[in-house]
Amino acid sequence: MDQRHRTKTLKLTALSLVALFVLAGCSSTRMAYRYADWGVVWWVEDYVTLSRAQKQQLNQDLDSLRQWHCSTELPRYRAWLDELEADIADGAPDIHTIEYHQQQLLVFVPDLLDRAVPVAVNLLASLSDDQVTELARNMAEDQAELEQEMLAGDPQQTAKARAERTAKRVERWLGSLNGQQQALVEEWSADRGQQTEIWLQGRKNWQQTLLETMEGRDQPGFDEAIRELVINSENARGPEYQAMMRESQQAMANLMYALIKAGDQQHREHLQARASKLNQDFTALTCS
């Protein structure tokens, strides 16, 4: 299995997990960045031109991470999805059931982050000064593009764009939304206030902290500094971000409950089919 396929497999697994956060409590894929900072092992590769030796080391580290994740974590995901499918089959889940599954999914995160830390440390510690400069430049360009895309227009336009993104992601789970459901999404998005700005600033704060940490990559304590950035990334993102995340988790659970309640049998069947398909995808991933 080559480097690209290894990375693709890990991305599939991680992005599938990220997709579950839409149901479990994150307002969008943007929110899922809180839980995807272990993705440093691939987005650094996207942002930095690696040497042959660095690619070989990353190959080995990703193999180890993938084997652990496949053999240990995927069975946990499948068991959780089995339970989710059963609860959906019993009828429209109430708010307590949605909150329960939200918490069940969050249980998976710490072990995943912990196992990803050594991979991130090995890759980041190996970067040269020129590569760190390249990383900083590409992160800044990406941040500027995101800000331009997500903050274009006035607050009403920002809320409208947020509603469109949220509706698109929710429809992956529920299918086409009816008029009442669409109105719920629009109202929810309008109530999110400065969420987009706070998320973007938190992302910028985290990246700046990473770059400052990279200055000491050959010094004692670098491993622990990267661990803190991956495991407790919200600390670097700032108090506004932390408060937003706490509010968003409950808000999204409430929205999902309202959307399911406003739906019909067809929406619940779509949700069950989506969970079943994801479960099949996890089952199809082998550890060989």
Side-chain angles (χ1 to χ4, degrees):
M1 183 180 294
D2 61 21
Q3 165 74 27
R4 185 173 298 275
H5 187 70
R6 288 182 176 89
T7 306
K8 183 178 179 181
T9 300
L10 277 170
K11 284 183 179 181
L12 170 62
T13 302
L15 291 177
S16 296
L17 182 60
V18 164
L20 296 177
F21 283 102
V22 178
L23 175 67
C26 293
S27 63
S28 69
T29 303
R30 292 178 293 117
M31 288 293 108
Y33 270 76
R34 160 62 180 85
Y35 306 101
D37 279 330
W38 72 290
V40 67
V41 301
W42 68 66
W43 64 251
V44 168
E45 185 186 17
D46 290 339
Y47 284 167
V48 178
T49 305
L50 300 181
S51 69
R52 178 176 297 181
Q54 287 170 325
K55 289 180 179 179
Q56 289 176 342
Q57 181 63 57
L58 181 59
N59 241 1
Q60 296 174 13
D61 290 344
L62 288 178
D63 268 341
S64 178
L65 177 59
R66 175 180 166 274
Q67 287 294 328
W68 166 81
H69 194 264
C70 183
S71 62
T72 304
E73 297 302 280
L74 293 190
R76 297 173 67 196
Y77 298 172
R78 294 195 295 268
W80 172 72
L81 284 165
D82 286 342
E83 189 174 9
L84 176 62
E85 288 183 62
D87 283 345
I88 297 170
D90 287 341
D94 58 24
I95 185 62
H96 299 295
T97 301
I98 291 175
E99 290 173 344
Y100 165 77
H101 284 291
Q102 179 184 70
Q103 293 305 314
Q104 287 294 103
L105 180 54
L106 294 178
V107 167
F108 300 143
V109 176
D111 289 344
L112 180 60
L113 295 178
D114 184 69
R115 288 280 183 157
V117 168
V119 185
V121 169
N122 282 345
L123 178 58
L124 292 169
S126 74
L127 298 185
S128 67
D129 290 345
D130 287 344
Q131 287 176 314
V132 173
T133 299
E134 182 184 8
L135 173 64
R137 181 179 64 251
N138 287 332
M139 286 198 304
E141 290 176 356
D142 186 53
Q143 179 76 11
E145 290 175 2
L146 278 176
E147 291 176 358
Q148 183 177 8
E149 174 188 350
M150 301 177 74
L151 298 179
D154 56 30
Q156 289 74 26
Q157 291 172 317
T158 300
K160 180 180 179 181
R162 183 187 300 123
E164 291 173 351
R165 291 192 298 268
T166 302
K168 183 177 180 180
R169 287 159 183 148
V170 169
E171 284 178 343
R172 295 173 186 170
W173 288 94
L174 298 180
S176 298
L177 303 182
N178 60 35
Q180 184 181 356
Q181 290 171 320
Q182 189 64 48
L184 285 168
V185 170
E186 292 174 0
E187 180 181 1
W188 181 89
S189 298
D191 288 342
R192 300 282 63 79
Q194 298 295 305
Q195 179 173 286
T196 301
E197 291 84 348
I198 293 171
W199 177 79
L200 284 168
Q201 184 60 51
R203 185 177 190 268
K204 187 174 183 179
N205 292 345
W206 189 89
Q207 291 183 352
Q208 182 59 42
T209 303
L210 173 63
L211 291 175
E212 292 170 358
T213 303
M214 290 298 293
E215 295 176 4
R217 60 190 181 281
D218 59 348
Q219 301 295 319
F222 177 71
D223 293 21
E224 286 306 312
I226 293 301
R227 174 174 293 277
E228 175 66 14
L229 274 175
V230 174
I231 301 294
N232 299 309
S233 69
E234 68 278 2
N235 291 339
R237 296 176 189 271
E240 283 189 300
Y241 179 91
Q242 295 168 36
M244 179 194 70
M245 284 301 301
R246 289 191 295 269
E247 189 274 338
S248 293
Q249 183 173 316
Q250 185 60 54
M252 191 58 185
N254 292 338
L255 174 63
M256 289 304 298
Y257 169 68
L259 290 173
I260 293 173
K261 186 177 180 181
D264 54 26
Q265 182 63 29
Q266 184 175 355
H267 289 104
R268 291 191 291 275
E269 290 175 355
H270 190 102
L271 174 60
Q272 189 169 21
R274 184 76 174 94
S276 177
K277 175 62 169 60
L278 188 55
N279 205 347
Q280 293 171 12
D281 290 342
F282 283 141
T283 301
L285 289 173
T286 65
C287 299
S288 60

